[in-house]
Coordinates of all heavy atoms in Angstrom, one line a residue:
W34 N 2.2 8.4 32.2 CA 1.6 8.9 33.4 C 2.5 9.9 34.1 O 2.1 10.9 34.7 CB 1.3 7.8 34.3 CG 0.7 8.1 35.6 CD1 -0.6 8.5 35.9 CD2 1.4 8.0 36.9 NE1 -0.8 8.8 37.2 CE2 0.4 8.5 37.9 CE3 2.7 7.7 37.4 CZ2 0.7 8.6 39.2 CZ3 2.9 7.8 38.7 CH2 2.0 8.2 39.6
R35 N 3.8 9.7 34.0 CA 4.8 10.5 34.7 C 5.5 11.6 33.9 O 6.4 12.2 34.3 CB 5.9 9.6 35.4 CG 5.4 8.7 36.4 CD 6.6 8.0 37.1 NE 7.2 7.2 36.1 CZ 8.6 7.0 36.1 NH1 9.4 7.6 37.0 NH2 9.1 6.2 35.2
L77 N 4.6 2.0 33.6 CA 5.7 2.8 34.2 C 7.0 2.5 33.5 O 8.1 2.8 34.0 CB 5.8 2.5 35.7 CG 4.6 3.0 36.5 CD1 4.5 2.3 37.8 CD2 4.6 4.5 36.6
L136 N -4.5 -2.6 42.3 CA -3.2 -1.9 42.3 C -3.5 -0.4 42.2 O -4.7 0.0 41.9 CB -2.4 -2.3 41.1 CG -3.0 -2.4 39.7 CD1 -2.5 -1.2 38.8 CD2 -2.5 -3.7 39.1
G137 N -2.6 0.5 42.5 CA -2.9 1.9 42.7 C -3.5 2.6 41.5 O -4.3 3.5 41.6
G154 N 0.6 -6.1 41.9 CA -0.3 -5.3 42.8 C -0.2 -5.9 44.2 O 0.6 -6.7 44.6
T155 N -1.3 -5.5 45.1 CA -1.2 -5.8 46.5 C -1.8 -7.1 47.0 O -1.7 -7.4 48.2 CB -2.0 -4.6 47.2 OG1 -3.3 -4.5 46.7 CG2 -1.2 -3.3 47.0
E255 N 2.0 -5.0 53.0 CA 2.8 -4.0 52.3 C 3.8 -3.3 53.2 O 3.5 -2.7 54.2 CB 1.8 -2.9 51.7 CG 0.9 -3.5 50.7 CD 1.6 -3.9 49.4 OE1 2.3 -3.0 48.8 OE2 1.5 -5.0 48.9
R333 N -0.5 4.1 51.7 CA 0.2 3.2 51.0 C 0.1 3.5 49.4 O 1.1 3.6 48.7 CB -0.2 1.8 51.2 CG 0.1 0.8 50.2 CD 1.6 0.7 50.0 NE 2.0 -0.3 49.0 CZ 2.2 0.1 47.6 NH1 2.0 1.4 47.3 NH2 2.7 -0.8 46.8
E334 N -1.1 3.8 49.0 CA -1.4 4.0 47.5 C -0.9 5.4 47.2 O -0.8 5.7 46.0 CB -2.8 3.8 47.2 CG -3.2 2.3 47.4 CD -2.5 1.3 46.5 OE1 -1.5 1.6 45.8 OE2 -3.0 0.1 46.5
I336 N 2.0 6.8 47.8 CA 3.5 6.8 47.6 C 3.9 7.2 46.2 O 4.7 8.0 45.9 CB 4.2 5.6 48.1 CG1 3.8 5.3 49.6 CG2 5.7 5.7 48.0 CD1 4.3 3.9 50.1
S337 N 3.3 6.5 45.3 CA 3.6 6.6 43.9 C 3.4 8.1 43.4 O 4.4 8.7 43.0 CB 2.7 5.8 43.0 OG 3.4 5.2 42.0
E338 N 2.4 8.7 43.7 CA 2.1 10.1 43.3 C 3.0 11.1 44.1 O 3.6 12.0 43.5 CB 0.6 10.4 43.6 CG 0.1 11.8 43.1 CD -0.5 12.6 44.2 OE1 -1.3 12.0 44.9 OE2 -0.3 13.8 44.3
Q340 N 5.9 10.7 45.1 CA 7.3 10.8 44.7 C 7.4 11.8 43.6 O 8.5 12.5 43.4 CB 7.7 9.4 44.1 CG 7.8 8.3 45.1 CD 8.0 6.9 44.6 OE1 9.1 6.4 44.4 NE2 6.8 6.4 44.1
N341 N 6.4 12.0 42.8 CA 6.4 13.0 41.7 C 6.7 14.4 42.1 O 7.1 15.3 41.4 CB 5.1 12.8 40.8 CG 5.0 11.5 40.2 OD1 5.9 10.8 40.0 ND2 3.7 11.2 39.8
S346 N 11.9 10.5 39.9 CA 11.9 9.2 40.7 C 12.5 8.2 39.9 O 12.0 7.7 38.9 CB 10.4 8.9 41.1 OG 10.4 7.5 41.6
K348 N 12.9 4.6 39.3 CA 12.1 3.5 39.8 C 12.8 2.1 39.5 O 13.4 1.9 38.4 CB 10.8 3.5 39.1 CG 10.0 4.8 39.4 CD 8.5 4.6 39.1 CE 7.7 5.7 39.5 NZ 7.7 6.0 40.9
H349 N 13.0 1.4 40.6 CA 13.5 0.0 40.5 C 12.5 -0.9 41.1 O 12.5 -1.1 42.3 CB 14.8 0.0 41.2 CG 15.8 1.1 40.7 ND1 15.8 2.4 41.3 CD2 16.7 1.1 39.8 CE1 16.7 3.1 40.6 NE2 17.3 2.4 39.7
D350 N 11.8 -1.5 40.2 CA 10.7 -2.5 40.6 C 11.4 -3.9 40.6 O 11.2 -4.7 39.8 CB 9.6 -2.4 39.5 CG 8.7 -3.7 39.5 OD1 8.4 -4.1 40.5 OD2 8.3 -4.1 38.5
Y381 N 9.7 0.5 49.3 CA 8.3 0.1 49.8 C 7.9 -1.0 48.8 O 8.5 -1.3 47.7 CB 7.3 1.2 49.8 CG 6.9 1.7 48.5 CD1 5.7 1.5 47.9 CD2 7.8 2.6 47.7 CE1 5.3 2.0 46.6 CE2 7.5 3.0 46.5 CZ 6.3 2.7 46.0 OH 5.9 3.3 44.7
G382 N 6.9 -1.8 49.2 CA 6.4 -2.8 48.2 C 5.8 -4.0 48.9 O 5.4 -4.1 50.1
H383 N 5.7 -5.0 48.0 CA 4.8 -6.2 48.3 C 5.7 -7.3 48.9 O 6.3 -8.1 48.1 CB 4.2 -6.6 47.0 CG 3.7 -5.5 46.1 ND1 2.6 -4.7 46.4 CD2 4.2 -5.0 44.9 CE1 2.4 -3.8 45.4 NE2 3.5 -3.9 44.6
N388 N 8.9 -8.4 46.3 CA 8.9 -7.3 45.3 C 9.0 -6.0 46.0 O 8.1 -5.5 46.7 CB 7.6 -7.4 44.5 CG 7.5 -6.2 43.5 OD1 6.3 -6.1 43.0 ND2 8.4 -5.5 43.3
H390 N 9.7 -1.8 45.6 CA 9.9 -0.7 44.7 C 10.9 0.2 45.4 O 10.7 0.9 46.4 CB 8.6 0.1 44.6 CG 7.5 -0.8 43.9 ND1 7.7 -1.2 42.6 CD2 6.4 -1.3 44.4 CE1 6.7 -2.0 42.3 NE2 5.9 -2.1 43.4
Y391 N 12.1 0.0 44.9 CA 13.3 0.6 45.6 C 13.7 1.8 44.7 O 14.6 1.8 43.9 CB 14.5 -0.4 45.6 CG 15.6 -0.1 46.5 CD1 15.6 -0.3 47.9 CD2 16.8 0.5 46.0 CE1 16.7 0.1 48.7 CE2 17.8 0.8 46.8 CZ 17.9 0.6 48.1 OH 18.9 1.0 48.9
N392 N 12.9 2.9 45.0 CA 13.0 4.0 44.2 C 13.9 5.1 44.8 O 14.0 5.1 46.0 CB 11.6 4.6 43.9 CG 10.7 3.6 43.2 OD1 11.2 2.7 42.6 ND2 9.4 3.8 43.3
E429 N 7.1 -6.6 38.4 CA 5.7 -6.5 37.9 C 5.4 -5.5 36.8 O 4.4 -5.6 36.1 CB 4.8 -6.3 39.1 CG 5.1 -5.0 39.9 CD 4.2 -4.8 41.0 OE1 3.4 -5.7 41.4 OE2 4.3 -3.7 41.6
H430 N 6.3 -4.5 36.6 CA 6.0 -3.4 35.6 C 6.4 -3.8 34.2 O 6.0 -3.1 33.3 CB 6.7 -2.1 36.0 CG 6.2 -1.6 37.3 ND1 7.0 -0.7 38.1 CD2 5.1 -1.9 38.1 CE1 6.4 -0.5 39.3 NE2 5.3 -1.2 39.3
Ligands
S2G502 C1 3.2 0.3 43.6 C2 3.9 1.8 41.8 C3 5.1 2.2 41.0 C4 6.1 3.1 41.6 O1 2.7 1.4 44.1 O2 3.0 -0.8 44.1 O3 3.9 -0.7 41.6 O4 7.2 2.7 41.9 C5 4.1 0.4 42.5 O5 5.7 4.3 41.9

Side-chain angles (χ1 to χ4, degrees):
W34 178 74
R35 294 186 295 148
L77 292 163
L136 48 108
T155 55
E255 295 291 307
R333 162 58 185 89
E334 297 298 8
I336 301 173
S337 223
E338 187 234 317
Q340 292 168 99
N341 296 339
S346 164
K348 295 196 177 296
H349 306 87
D350 160 40
Y381 67 105
H383 322 285
N388 178 191
H390 297 296
Y391 192 81
N392 298 339
E429 56 179 12
H430 298 159

